[in-house]
């Protein structure tokens, strides 16, 4: 066998599976929820193994709307507690992970005779700010607003309300939280599928049989035991619950309602915006957004029931494409956007916890975004919730895990632990993200924007990234916010198995560059880095390019006619 660098990296990643004693916790699912649980569990002294059947953040956690927000609609429905918790977590992330989670202004334009009128919306915003303990709200009359942002339609325009939430790179957020967990001693492995649960004589879940899915030619299986197994598989959560309860599709009462949300990416030249816009769609009056992200403009999202999920990726439909273009063109009436303006698309499936079970008369947009945790024969399952509240979700999971495995009670109370010591004399600290100033001399040579961005994206790993960089790796990849050093670092240190891992999740170049970044000016450099860091030969490179182009064309570009 050709012992490529990638093969050696993979063997190193899989080495912890030879552990003879049971893990304290096996987490199935490598999205933001699983990463958050790993982060909170490991710092409480638990031996944690996290696995993901595809790539880290492959599912919903790389295909969200990228927003870290409190949820204004919760106030409108009277759910002040959810909003309060969400805005507090938003402020926490802004303080701890600046550069990765950044404040973004949002604007709601108001039009004569259209809902909501300014006085209603502005009342909600004052409550929103009060819950956050910050003053963000501003109101601009027509003339004042149009002078600095004249791109929206002017007929019957009254003015605009401005408020603040936050925006992130969701996939990098997962990697950052995972890195914090790994630094504390957790083990995380991608392309490792839980094919079946292991149960004892009493029917209690005590582990899982895992299959290495990183190679079609060389699949290995592993039997892993754990004191508690946590399923954090999002929209796929019902599958393992059926196994744990020995039920079938016919007898199991499903509680996950998959809801698809799709987005379009267009250039800033075609839609030049500096802040986010929230608007009500002219067809169905549901809220959606247009916002700047990674040097591009994003239009989204939809909210539609999605069929039962398999292992395939999810893509946008023609109806959703038309819906999003119609909404954007209604507000930006001089833009005249068409499908030819679309650089890329993405679609993700939210795991909504259905209030009505299989009753689809309730619109997905009306379902709550709360999370739920279930305990079935020692399998702890969590699903639902929001990107913003991943830390709180993790703490709720640990509370349920206490019914299976011993945990210090104080260590799982809403993160407020006053120097209580738990296992291994580790002091529980409620900060998710560590702060460590980079020491590399190269850091001072970077432009200010990168000095603000990179510490949030990479934390304590930034020095490693900079020292690994070749002389020309500190340059931007064309007009993106990404530098070549990030490509090299990911290839060597972040369990990259396929080209789509590198271009769709470790970086977002496949979403913001034309043709999924497979353009001569940059693809040759990708090839060179993959050859140097992963040991890919010409045949392997061509295989990966063909595989990537097929994935991008089917799921990240325009829908098939």
């Amino acid at each position: 066998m050709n012992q490529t660098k990638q093969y050696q990296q993979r063997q190193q990643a899989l080495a912890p599976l030879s552990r003879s004693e049971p893990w304290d916790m096996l987490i199935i699912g490598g999205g933001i929820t699983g990463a958050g649980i790993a982060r909170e569990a490991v710092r409480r002294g638990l031996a944690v193994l996290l696995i993901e059947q595809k790539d880290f953040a492959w599912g919903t956690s790389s295909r969200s709307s990228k927003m870290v927000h409190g949820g204004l609609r919760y106030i409108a429905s009277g759910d002040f507690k959810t909003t309060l918790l969400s805005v507090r977590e938003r402020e926490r992330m802004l303080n701890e992970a600046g550069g990765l989670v950044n404040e973004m202004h949002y604007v709601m334009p108001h039009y004569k005779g259209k809902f909501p009128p300014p006085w209603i919306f502005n009342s909600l915003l004052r409550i929103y700010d009060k819950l956050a303990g910050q003053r963000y709200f501003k109101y601009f009359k027509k003339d004042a607003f149009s002078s600095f942002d004249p791109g929206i339609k002017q007929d019957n325009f009254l003015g605009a309300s401005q408020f603040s939430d936050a925006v992130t790179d969701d996939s990098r957020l997962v990697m950052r939280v995972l890195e914090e967990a790994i630094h504390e001693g957790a083990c995380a492995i991608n392309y490792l599928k839980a094919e079946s649960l292991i149960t004892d004589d009493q029917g209690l879940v005590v582990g899982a049989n895992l299959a290495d899915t990183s190679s079609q030619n060389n699949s290995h299986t592993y039997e892993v035991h754990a004191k508690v197994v946590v399923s954090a598989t999002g929209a796929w959560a019902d599958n393992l619950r059926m196994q744990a309860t020995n039920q079938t599709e016919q007898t199991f009462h499903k509680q996950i309602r998959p809801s698809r949300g799709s987005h379009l990416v267009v250039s800033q030249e075609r839609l030049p915006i500096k802040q986010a816009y929230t608007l009500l769609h002219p067809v169905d009056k549901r809220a959606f957004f247009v916002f700047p992200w990674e040097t591009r403009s994003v239009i989204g999202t939809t909210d539609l029931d999605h069929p039962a999920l398999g292992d395939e990726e999810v893509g946008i439909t023609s109806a959703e494409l038309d819906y999003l273009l119609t909404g954007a063109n209604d507000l930006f009436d001089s833009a005249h956007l068409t499908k030819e303006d679309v650089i890329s698309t993405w679609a993700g499936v939210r795991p909504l916890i259905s209030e009505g079970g299989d009753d689809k008369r309730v619109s997905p947009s009306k379902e709550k975004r709360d999370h739920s945790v279930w305990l079935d024969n020692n399998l702890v399952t969590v699903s639902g919730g929001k990107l913003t509240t991943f830390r709180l979700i993790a703490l709720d999971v640990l509370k349920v895990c206490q019914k299976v495995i011993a945990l210090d009670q104080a260590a799982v109370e809403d993160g407020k632990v006053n120097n209580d010591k738990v296992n291994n004399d580790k002091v529980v600290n409620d900060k998710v993200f560590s702060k460590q100033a980079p020491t590399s001399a190269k850091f001072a040579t970077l432009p200010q924007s990168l000095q603000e961005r990179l510490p949030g994206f990479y934390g304590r790993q930034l020095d490693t990234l900079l020292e690994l960089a070749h002389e020309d790796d500190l340059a931007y990849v064309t007009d993106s916010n990404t530098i070549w050093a990030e490509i090299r670092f990911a290839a060597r240190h972040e369990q990259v198995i396929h080209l789509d891992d590198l271009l769709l999740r470790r970086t977002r170049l496949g979403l913001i560059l034309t043709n999924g970044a497979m353009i001569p000016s940059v693809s040759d450099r990708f090839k060179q880095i993959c050859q140097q860091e992963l040991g890919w030969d010409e045949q392997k490179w061509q295989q990966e390019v063909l595989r990537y182009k097929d994935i991008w064309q089917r799921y990240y570009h325009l829908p098939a006619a």
Side-chain angles (χ1 to χ4, degrees), residues 100-333:
L100 175 59
V101 180
N102 298 307
E103 181 185 344
M104 184 163 68
H105 292 311
Y106 288 69
V107 169
M108 166 65 88
H110 300 286
Y111 292 87
K112 186 176 180 179
K114 299 290 185 180
F115 186 85
W119 69 271
I120 288 182
F121 195 72
N122 295 345
S123 297
L124 289 177
L125 292 182
R126 289 188 178 95
I127 299 172
Y128 201 46
D129 281 358
K130 189 173 176 111
L131 292 174
Q134 300 283 349
R135 174 65 189 271
Y136 295 119
F137 159 66
K138 293 180 182 179
Y139 181 73
F140 297 91
K141 292 183 178 180
K142 176 179 179 177
D143 292 341
F145 182 76
S146 298
S147 65
F148 72 85
D149 209 335
I152 60 175
K153 66 180 178 183
Q154 297 298 302
D155 290 349
N156 296 317
F157 179 51
L158 299 174
S161 302
Q162 184 187 75
F163 61 103
S164 283
D165 265 315
V167 66
T168 191
D169 179 332
D170 50 359
S171 188
R172 286 307 322 176
L173 179 65
V174 172
M175 295 306 296
R176 179 73 201 278
V177 177
L178 270 180
E179 190 280 324
E180 296 286 354
I182 292 168
H183 181 77
E184 293 288 340
C187 176
I189 309 173
N190 60 357
Y191 291 98
L192 201 56
K193 182 178 182 179
E195 294 205 312
S196 60
L197 298 173
I198 300 171
T199 56
D200 64 11
D201 294 340
Q202 297 175 307
L204 300 178
V205 175
V206 293
N209 293 302
L210 314 180
D212 180 6
T213 61
S214 63
S215 170
Q216 293 181 334
N217 306 321
N218 211 8
S219 180
H220 287 86
T221 57
Y222 304 87
E223 186 176 295
V224 170
H225 289 80
K227 297 174 185 176
V228 62
V229 178
V230 177
S231 170
T233 54
W236 292 263
D238 282 336
N239 297 340
L240 286 176
R241 288 194 72 203
M242 276 192 285
Q243 283 191 42
T245 55
N246 288 314
Q247 295 188 63
T248 64
E249 290 270 356
Q250 290 71 36
T251 61
F252 184 77
H253 176 62
K254 293 186 177 181
Q255 293 184 268
I256 307 300
R257 182 178 182 179
S259 170
R260 186 176 65 254
S262 297
H263 305 77
L264 311 178
V265 180
V266 300
S267 71
Q268 278 275 325
E269 288 73 24
R270 291 294 289 117
L271 199 58
I273 54 174
K274 296 180 181 178
Q275 53 195 335
Y277 287 80
T278 179
L279 53 148
L280 301 183
H281 198 281
V283 174
D284 59 5
K285 308 305 178 189
R286 62 171 294 277
F288 79 112
F289 300 91
V290 180
F291 59 98
W293 182 72
E294 293 293 318
T295 70
R296 301 291 184 264
S297 296
V298 175
I299 305 166
T301 179
T302 56
D303 200 358
L304 300 168
D305 282 312
H306 189 81
L309 289 161
D311 290 340
E312 289 295 310
E313 302 221 21
V314 176
I316 193 172
T317 64
S318 295
E320 288 174 292
L321 173 66
D322 294 341
Y323 175 90
L324 293 174
L325 288 174
T326 297
N329 283 325
D330 182 66
L331 180 63
F332 300 92
D333 56 355

Side-chain angles (χ1 to χ4, degrees), residues 39-44 92 96 180 184 391 395 410-411 413-422 426-435 460:
R39 174 74 177 112
E40 297 303 327
V42 73
R43 65 153 152 228
R44 287 160 175 82
R92 166 193 293 273
E96 290 185 22
E180 296 286 354
E184 293 288 340
R391 186 187 71 93
L395 293 174
E413 294 298 330
D414 201 8
K416 296 174 183 176
V417 181
N418 298 318
N419 294 329
D420 291 283
K421 291 190 176 183
V422 292
K426 289 188 176 181
V427 177
V428 175
N429 177 337
D430 67 352
K431 288 187 176 180
V432 175
F433 304 93
S434 60
K435 285 199 175 181
R460 62 170 61 86

